[in-house]
């Protein structure tokens, strides 16, 4: 069923302006690339079985992948994450819930109020 991923790019279909490189656009769930786990969406593919993908038309790159055989070696360049965090949430361990301050500030205000009430109550006794 193929290698289990889709590509974009090429000299005739640039995915990124002024860049004719080939990129992984989608990893098919339960496909070969998904099961292997090393390839990621957004990765730039530099070579297939030692054949450089530089300056290829999209259809020629697709043909290289189709004729790659059963044992395929990819040379890739991992996409860089922006400094301010990941592009999208992909189960990176964050709960996606409330920020800690949203819980602590009201909690501290409630505790301070309770202490004030307790002190006022003790003064009356």
């Amino acid at each position: 069923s193929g290698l289990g991923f889709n590509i974009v790019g090429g000299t005739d279909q640039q995915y990124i302006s002024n860049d004719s490189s080939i990129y992984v656009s989608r990893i098919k769930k339960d496909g070969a690339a998904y099961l292997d786990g090393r390839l990621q969406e957004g990765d730039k593919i530099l070579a297939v079985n030692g054949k450089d993908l530089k300056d290829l038309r999209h259809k020629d790159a697709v043909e290289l992948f189709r004729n790659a055989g059963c044992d395929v070696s990819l040379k890739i360049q991992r996409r860089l994450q922006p400094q301010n965090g990941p592009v999208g949430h992909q189960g990176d361990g964050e709960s996606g819930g409330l920020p800690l301050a949203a819980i602590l500030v009201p909690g501290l205000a409630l505790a301070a109020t309770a202490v004030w009430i307790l002190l006022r109550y003790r003064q009356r006794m």
Side-chain angles (χ1 to χ4, degrees):
S1 65
L3 300 174
F5 63 93
N6 294 354
I7 60 170
V8 291
T11 57
D12 56 336
Q13 297 179 22
Q14 291 183 352
Y15 176 63
I16 297 174
S17 184
N18 298 319
D19 182 356
S20 60
S21 301
I22 302 296
Y23 292 87
V24 176
S25 62
R26 186 171 81 98
I27 307 269
K28 297 175 184 175
K29 187 158 173 103
D30 297 327
Y34 177 86
L35 295 172
D36 177 77
R38 290 180 283 180
L39 196 63
Q40 295 179 9
E41 291 177 0
D43 285 349
K44 182 192 288 191
I45 304 177
L46 304 174
V48 179
N49 292 339
K51 295 179 184 171
D52 193 359
L53 296 183
K54 190 172 183 158
D55 298 325
L56 284 182
R57 293 180 300 170
H58 181 81
K59 71 175 194 167
D60 295 331
V62 169
E63 199 59 33
L64 271 178
F65 285 104
R66 285 193 176 138
N67 295 324
C70 294
D71 190 22
V72 180
S73 171
L74 300 178
K75 181 177 180 182
I76 63 126
Q77 180 179 349
R78 183 74 10 116
R79 70 181 184 282
L80 296 175
Q81 294 291 340
Q83 292 299 319
N84 61 353
V87 173
H89 178 73
Q90 297 180 349
D92 56 6
E94 292 185 29
S95 67
L98 294 172
L100 187 57
I103 297 167
L104 287 180
V105 171
L108 289 173
L110 185 59
T113 303
V115 168
W116 182 80
I117 291 171
L118 180 62
L119 290 175
R120 297 280 294 183
Y121 178 74
R122 290 179 91 189
Q123 284 177 354
R124 291 186 182 181
M125 294 182 100

